[in-house]
Amino acid sequence: MSTDISTADTFAAYVHEGRSSVAVLVIHGFTSTPGSVFLWAGAFEAAGYDVSVPLLEGHASRWEDMIGVPYTAWTGALEREYDRLARTHEHVVVAGISMGGALALHLGAVRRPDALLLVNPAVDGMPWFSFLSGVLAPFVKSTPAIGEDIARPGRKENSYDVTPTAAATQLRRLQKAVRRQLPGVVAPITLFHSVQDHVVPPASLRSLFAGLTPATRTRLRRIELHESYHVATLDWDAELINEASVRAVAESTGVAAGSGTAA
């Protein structure tokens, strides 16, 4: 693992731990790579916060490596990483994009993070064929790719060039589990939503709002992204996401950017 995110391997996990009392756990999406959230994580690091960007099992290698990986391997690994960070930090914030957003919500239900930062969270209806994936998987090993939905030229998340059908089944199971857990999420949420998203359908936000308690919905801060597609952390609105996210971390933890300790 690198200690300098600007030169880090975008296909590998990344951890930076200094002396901050705040750690931000940043989670990439389905069939994607840690590098898809490095600009986001780098903003937290530049603000003086510690960061951890795990590599989810089966990702950033060969698409075949996702076959046979249960979604509980992802939730379990993230719970362990959250617990590790919580042992050494007063505050832990969880951030995630797409499936990473669903996984962040899972952590919001089973742990007590100071805040959740979500970019186009995949809580429902993604990928579109997932309701058939269980039937298709024994016969159709892969389906068309769902990655690289980025408006900005020259930016790539380096996702798989196909979608493993069996993995889509696991994503569907994860989404179903997370929807059941939503009433248990009490952390303040900052939600970034791309107006043009070709991967996660509107049903995902409807399910998110329907599942959260009225108290959590009332505190939710929604920021619409008008210049970016699904992978907004690499798109035209990345700077907006970074700045608003750093502010949200400071507000939720009481630890100002650059200070490392509570004000």
Side-chain angles (χ1 to χ4, degrees):
M1 298 183 188
S2 176
T3 57
D4 183 355
I5 201 164
S6 66
T7 58
D9 182 356
T10 58
F11 290 86
Y14 175 83
V15 173
H16 169 80
E17 293 190 29
R19 296 184 177 181
S20 179
S21 61
V22 178
V24 185
L25 176 57
V26 189
I27 311 170
H28 68 76
F30 183 69
T31 73
S32 191
T33 63
S36 65
V37 292
F38 273 8
L39 291 177
W40 201 13
F44 300 125
E45 184 177 323
Y49 303 123
D50 291 348
V51 296
S52 173
V53 185
L55 169 61
L56 299 176
E57 185 175 344
H59 290 74
S61 53
R62 302 179 311 127
W63 67 265
E64 292 91 345
D65 292 337
M66 290 189 73
I67 298 174
V69 177
Y71 79 84
T72 51
W74 305 326
T75 56
L78 291 170
E79 289 168 16
R80 291 188 293 274
E81 180 63 0
Y82 180 98
D83 292 343
R84 185 189 71 81
L85 295 171
R87 286 193 294 270
T88 55
H89 296 81
E90 295 179 35
H91 308 280
V92 180
V93 173
V94 183
I97 181 172
S98 194
M99 181 181 78
L103 290 164
L105 287 162
H106 165 77
L107 289 176
V110 302
R111 298 293 188 270
R112 285 295 176 261
D114 288 72
L116 297 177
L117 310 173
L118 311 176
V119 176
N120 297 321
V123 176
D124 201 353
M126 173 255 179
W128 66 267
F129 62 84
S130 61
F131 71 100
L132 290 174
S133 58
V135 176
L136 292 174
F139 311 102
V140 181
K141 297 299 182 184
S142 66
T143 53
I146 60 172
E148 309 300 342
D149 188 33
I150 304 171
R152 186 169 183 169
R155 293 285 178 89
K156 286 182 65 64
E157 62 173 320
N158 293 310
S159 61
Y160 289 144
D161 56 7
V162 298
T163 301
T165 312
T169 300
Q170 293 303 314
L171 173 55
R172 181 173 175 81
R173 291 173 180 170
L174 169 66
Q175 292 173 326
K176 184 176 180 180
V178 168
R179 290 196 298 273
R180 290 196 301 265
Q181 294 175 317
L182 288 175
V185 176
V186 297
I189 296 173
T190 300
L191 171 67
F192 300 94
H193 170 238
S194 294
V195 175
Q196 294 186 74
D197 187 329
H198 306 101
V199 178
V200 171
S204 185
L205 283 192
R206 290 196 295 268
S207 293
L208 174 61
F209 294 138
L212 295 172
T213 64
T216 303
R217 283 200 305 270
T218 298
R219 292 195 299 161
L220 183 148
R221 179 184 303 168
R222 178 172 174 174
I223 300 175
E224 290 198 342
L225 309 175
H226 294 275
E227 305 297 330
S228 301
Y229 295 162
H230 180 65
V231 193
T233 51
L234 289 174
D235 219 324
W236 294 110
D237 290 305
E239 186 173 351
L240 184 158
I241 293 170
N242 294 347
E243 292 176 353
S245 295
V246 169
R247 286 196 302 270
V249 172
E251 291 169 4
S252 63
T253 64
V255 179
S259 70
T261 56

